[in-house]
Amino acid sequence: MPELPLFPLQIVVFPGESVPLHIFEPRYRQLVKDTLQTGDPFGIVLTRRSRQQPTSEDREPTHEVGCTVRMESNEAFPDGRFNIGCIGERRFRIIEKLGERPYWVADVEYLDDPNDSESAEAYGAHDATSALYREHLGLALALQNSWQRSYRLPGRPNPLVNHVASSIEAPASVKQEVLKSESTVEQLNLLSRILRASNRQLTDRVHLHHKQRYEGLGVGN
């Protein structure tokens, strides 16, 4: 069972997602130094605590499922801080936390794509989520007075999950539900619900934006 260094954060990362991080805590500076030496990935996992809550001396409360990331770039500062760029690689589940060395390390198991990821139901959910995401992108561009004729999205269900989940805005707790799910159909249905709610809000904003724009140009109702 592999051991994995852990970086508990208030974000959820998906495979393929680009993750810029500013490293300032001494234990995570050491994690970066160790990773630079080994070239191995480390795990980002959503913490259950808020920044205001004290951290336990012997247990960092985190969710069980996270995503490994591999460092692709780094910038070291004279005072020991780092700016690093990482890319998400694969999901994992924590089996046993092994303590701090000085950062957290755990025994983990790596998670494969869900069993239903190539099912007919998954491809049906893929098409529905793709349509909602295209609408989402179009509305976002409309707020910028811009447009784009077409969007190239992943053609298979599981890559679409990772693409959409890493791109849209949603609470970390909601994204965690998507990350930990062992059903691609469930993941896509969760994303579709997020997109429907977001698209309703974006539609209202677009209508207001256009109304204000036209009124500014002196165009009547």
Side-chain angles (χ1 to χ4, degrees), residues 38-87:
T38 64
D40 293 335
F42 60 91
I44 291 180
V45 62
L46 178 64
T47 177
R48 293 183 186 272
R49 66 184 177 89
S50 70
R51 294 184 185 277
Q52 289 74 32
Q53 292 174 328
T55 303
S56 168
E57 288 292 326
D58 53 14
R59 180 178 180 272
E60 178 82 11
T62 63
H63 290 264
E64 292 182 353
V65 176
C67 184
T68 65
V69 298
R70 191 174 297 275
M71 198 179 345
E72 293 192 320
S73 64
N74 74 88
E75 177 185 10
F77 294 94
D79 62 1
R81 294 176 296 119
F82 289 92
N83 281 338
I84 63 174
C86 304
I87 187 77

Side-chain angles (χ1 to χ4, degrees), residues 4-176:
L4 186 70
L6 298 181
F7 195 166
L9 289 169
Q10 291 180 311
I11 62 172
V12 178
V13 177
F14 290 83
E17 182 174 0
S18 296
V19 188
L21 295 173
H22 178 66
I23 311 298
F24 57 90
E25 289 188 50
R27 57 179 170 173
Y28 298 120
R29 295 182 192 181
Q30 187 61 50
L31 184 152
V32 170
K33 292 175 183 176
D34 293 346
T35 302
L36 285 171
Q37 286 187 342
T38 64
D40 293 335
F42 60 91
I44 291 180
V45 62
L46 178 64
T47 177
R48 293 183 186 272
R49 66 184 177 89
S50 70
R51 294 184 185 277
Q52 289 74 32
Q53 292 174 328
T55 303
S56 168
E57 288 292 326
D58 53 14
R59 180 178 180 272
E60 178 82 11
T62 63
H63 290 264
E64 292 182 353
V65 176
C67 184
T68 65
V69 298
R70 191 174 297 275
M71 198 179 345
E72 293 192 320
S73 64
N74 74 88
E75 177 185 10
F77 294 94
D79 62 1
R81 294 176 296 119
F82 289 92
N83 281 338
I84 63 174
C86 304
I87 187 77
E89 289 198 330
R90 62 189 305 191
R91 297 186 306 151
F92 66 88
R93 178 181 289 110
I94 295 171
I95 302 301
E96 181 182 5
K97 290 175 183 171
L98 304 177
E100 293 179 292
R101 305 179 180 176
Y103 45 80
W104 283 91
V105 177
D107 281 337
V108 303
E109 64 174 354
Y110 293 113
L111 303 176
D112 296 326
D113 293 346
N115 291 332
D116 65 349
S117 61
E118 293 295 315
S119 66
E121 189 178 1
Y123 275 93
H126 166 281
D127 293 345
T129 303
S130 294
L132 287 165
Y133 186 58
R134 287 191 175 93
E135 179 186 359
H136 181 83
L137 293 174
L139 289 166
L141 286 172
L143 282 174
Q144 304 171 21
N145 301 318
S146 182
W147 65 279
Q148 183 173 327
R149 186 175 300 275
S150 63
Y151 309 100
R152 298 184 64 181
L153 299 178
R156 294 172 54 233
N158 199 66
L160 183 72
V161 167
N162 295 328
H163 179 82
V164 174
S166 62
S167 302
I168 61 174
E169 293 186 8
S173 58
V174 176
K175 288 195 173 189
Q176 181 66 28

